[in-house]
């Protein structure tokens, strides 16, 4: 798994036609990906087959945006880690703030999901982030460290095989990006927490997410503890996403 990584989170967007054109353009740009850099797209479940067909043999990885914490059984509407693995997924986003906010996902559940993803040989991208009210109340560190701690409790040394994404909720889809200084400050806290928890966790990739665009990616990615990005809106535009990956 490359340490420097840009992951596109398509959210609930796409169609067979638009996916085909997006993936075709991304495939054409993969040669510009630097050594040790990875590009990944996390697509809606129904498009996993199309994505795996179109990206077969490419350097671009793919994955899902959520997974069930259960292995199998009577869980109507849920999708298991084993199923995702069958579609060739290498990555699964867990604990995105939209899941926490609209589906009431707790940090404990996020830890369970991360564990089941690892158990099936895939990499969980564990999202943490504070709301605007929490930031304004000076609670950013307490909130993100608490969210990460639940996952650390569950994974132990296996955290070394995960990716962490810091996504301040107030920056997601708002056009209001954290400044490189604001993002780096939180990444440094998370890095320190990982290092203290597990000897092998200091080198875990920590991605920044929240209104990452082609014109702000380079300054964010230049920060010492920012290893790449988790990109929502801008990942739906092939030129924009390729430019972010090139950064
Ligand atoms: P955004 O979303 O880039 O559209 O702000 C990021 C995310 O939610 O992962």
């Amino acid at each position: 798994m490359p340490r420097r990584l840009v992951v596109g989170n398509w959210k609930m967007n796409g169609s067979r036609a638009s996916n085909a054109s997006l993936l075709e353009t991304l495939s054409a740009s993969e040669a510009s990906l630097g050594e040790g850099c990875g590009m990944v797209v996390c697509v809606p479940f129904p498009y996993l087959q199309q994505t795996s067909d179109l990206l077969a043999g490419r350097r671009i990885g793919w994955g899902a945006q959520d997974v069930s914490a259960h292995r199998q059984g009577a869980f109507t509407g849920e999708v298991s880690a084993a199923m995702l693995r069958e579609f060739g997924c290498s990555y699964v986003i867990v604990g995105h703030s939209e899941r926490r906010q609209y589906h009431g996902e707790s940090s404990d559940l996020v830890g369970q999901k991360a564990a089941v993803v690892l158990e099936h040989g895939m990499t969980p991208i564990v999202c943490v982030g504070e709301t605007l009210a929490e930031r304004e109340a000076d609670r950013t560190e307490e909130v993100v460290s608490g969210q990460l701690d639940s996952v650390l409790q569950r994974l132990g040394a296996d955290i070394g095989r995960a990716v962490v994404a810091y996504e301040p909720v107030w920056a997601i889809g708002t056009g209001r990006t954290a400044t490189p200084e604001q993002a780096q400050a939180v990444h440094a806290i998370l890095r320190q927490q990982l290092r203290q928890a597990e000897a092998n966790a200091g080198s875990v990739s920590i991605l920044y997410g929240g209104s990452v665009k082609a014109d702000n990616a380079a300054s964010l990615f230049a920060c010492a503890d920012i290893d790449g990005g988790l990109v929502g809106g801008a990942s739906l535009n092939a030129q924009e996403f390729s430019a972010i990956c090139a950064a």
Side-chain angles (χ1 to χ4, degrees):
M1 176 174 65
R3 165 93 185 253
R4 301 200 60 100
L5 199 60
V6 176
V7 179
N9 172 12
W10 290 5
K11 307 193 181 187
M12 200 172 71
N13 294 294
S15 65
R16 289 186 66 84
S18 66
N19 305 341
S21 113
L22 176 55
L23 292 173
E24 196 180 312
T25 315
L26 290 182
S27 297
S29 77
E30 76 177 1
S32 62
L33 263 184
E35 194 66 28
C37 296
M39 185 197 287
V40 174
V41 290
C42 288
V43 310
F45 296 133
Y47 297 136
L48 282 170
Q49 183 66 59
Q50 182 190 22
T51 303
S52 96
D53 289 345
L54 292 177
L55 293 182
R58 297 279 172 194
R59 268 178 72 195
I60 306 170
W62 64 92
Q65 302 166 13
D66 186 33
V67 66
S68 175
H70 303 284
R71 282 167 189 78
Q72 61 171 27
F75 300 101
T76 302
E78 296 225 47
V79 174
S80 74
M83 294 172 188
L84 296 180
R85 190 65 206 150
E86 275 202 303
F87 282 98
C89 289
S90 333
Y91 294 87
V92 184
I93 298 172
V94 295
H96 190 279
S97 65
E98 287 150 17
R99 301 290 319 169
R100 294 178 190 261
Q101 191 180 343
Y102 306 135
H103 302 274
E105 292 195 7
S106 66
S107 292
D108 184 54
L109 179 71
V110 174
Q112 291 175 39
K113 290 184 173 194
V116 88
V117 169
L118 280 170
E119 210 176 275
H120 289 83
M122 301 176 289
T123 302
I125 300 171
V126 178
C127 301
V128 300
E130 82 288 3
T131 62
L132 186 57
E134 289 162 342
R135 172 163 285 261
E136 286 174 344
D138 225 3
R139 293 187 49 224
T140 299
E141 178 168 353
E142 169 200 333
V143 170
V144 299
S145 296
Q147 290 170 339
L148 181 58
D149 191 53
S150 295
V151 177
L152 280 166
Q153 298 291 337
R154 181 73 59 173
L155 299 189
D158 286 340
I159 190 72
R161 294 190 288 129
V163 167
V164 171
Y166 168 56
E167 296 206 306
V169 178
W170 47 271
I172 295 177
T174 58
R176 189 176 157 191
T177 322
T179 63
E181 295 72 26
Q182 285 173 319
Q184 166 57 29
V186 178
H187 280 236
I189 291 167
L190 295 170
R191 176 85 63 209
Q192 174 77 357
Q193 186 181 356
L194 287 162
R195 204 177 270 136
Q196 278 175 355
E198 295 294 336
N200 65 345
S203 59
V204 161
S205 290
I206 310 179
L207 312 181
Y208 168 79
S211 299
V212 175
K213 304 274 182 281
D215 61 7
N216 59 28
S219 58
L220 287 160
F221 299 167
C223 297
D225 293 301
I226 301 183
D227 301 309
L230 179 53
V231 183
S235 73
L236 299 170
N237 177 308
Q239 276 74 29
E240 182 87 8
F241 190 59
S242 302
I244 293 169
C245 294

